[in-house]
Amino acid sequence: MTFAPVIISLPIADRPTSHRFYRDGLGLDTVGELADDGIPEPLQFVVNDGLRLMLIPTGGFGWVIGRHEVAARGQSECVLSLSVASPADADAIVERARAAGAEVVSEPVSQPWGYTGVFADPDGHLWMVSADSES
């Protein structure tokens, strides 16, 4: 059985801030009809053909998940990973994210498992950018 697209939903504090970050910082394209604020509702980005990222304001996210609480900023339950072709690509994405307001948690460096860097988006969600090896 396959599912396409898979949608990852994340809670956010501010739609315009998150929209700018994912559009400008990661270069992702939005899908959907524009709401009154000029931002698609729901706010979804295409990561690739099989994956979308949906950003939901924290209050709405709490409604969706029911009895569960949204994790406080600084408490991460997952790391979202982006695989890229080369260390130079990893460096470029981390720098682009930094310029768009990301907090770089771990500068890109060579690790035993590959070349990786980690940044937090404006809501503290962690993203790891990795390449297989230095070239």
Side-chain angles (χ1 to χ4, degrees):
M1 179 181 302
T2 61
F3 302 94
V6 170
I7 300 172
I8 296 173
S9 299
L10 298 174
I12 59 169
D14 183 72
R15 281 172 42 88
T17 298
S18 294
H19 179 249
R20 277 189 305 275
F21 177 79
Y22 282 94
R23 181 194 62 205
D24 301 342
L26 295 184
L28 299 177
D29 293 324
T30 56
V31 294
E33 297 292 321
L34 298 182
D36 292 342
D37 62 2
I39 299 171
E41 177 59 39
L43 181 52
Q44 287 190 48
F45 292 90
V46 176
V47 178
N48 62 37
D49 288 340
L51 181 62
R52 290 191 182 169
L53 178 66
M54 184 183 317
L55 305 177
I56 304 171
T58 302
F61 196 86
W63 176 78
V64 169
I65 62 174
R67 297 186 326 235
H68 298 277
E69 292 183 32
V70 173
R73 183 176 177 87
Q75 295 181 345
S76 299
E77 296 177 342
C78 71
V79 175
L80 301 158
S81 298
L82 298 172
S83 296
V84 296
S86 70
D89 291 340
D91 291 340
I93 289 175
V94 170
E95 284 309 312
R96 186 173 175 171
R98 183 192 324 263
E103 171 193 351
V104 176
V105 175
S106 172
E107 294 289 343
V109 295
S110 198
Q111 302 283 359
W113 58 88
Y115 187 85
T116 65
V118 178
F119 63 86
D121 75 3
D123 292 286
H125 303 296
L126 297 177
W127 288 84
M128 177 184 286
V129 183
S130 62
D132 285 338
S133 62
E134 293 203 53
S135 48

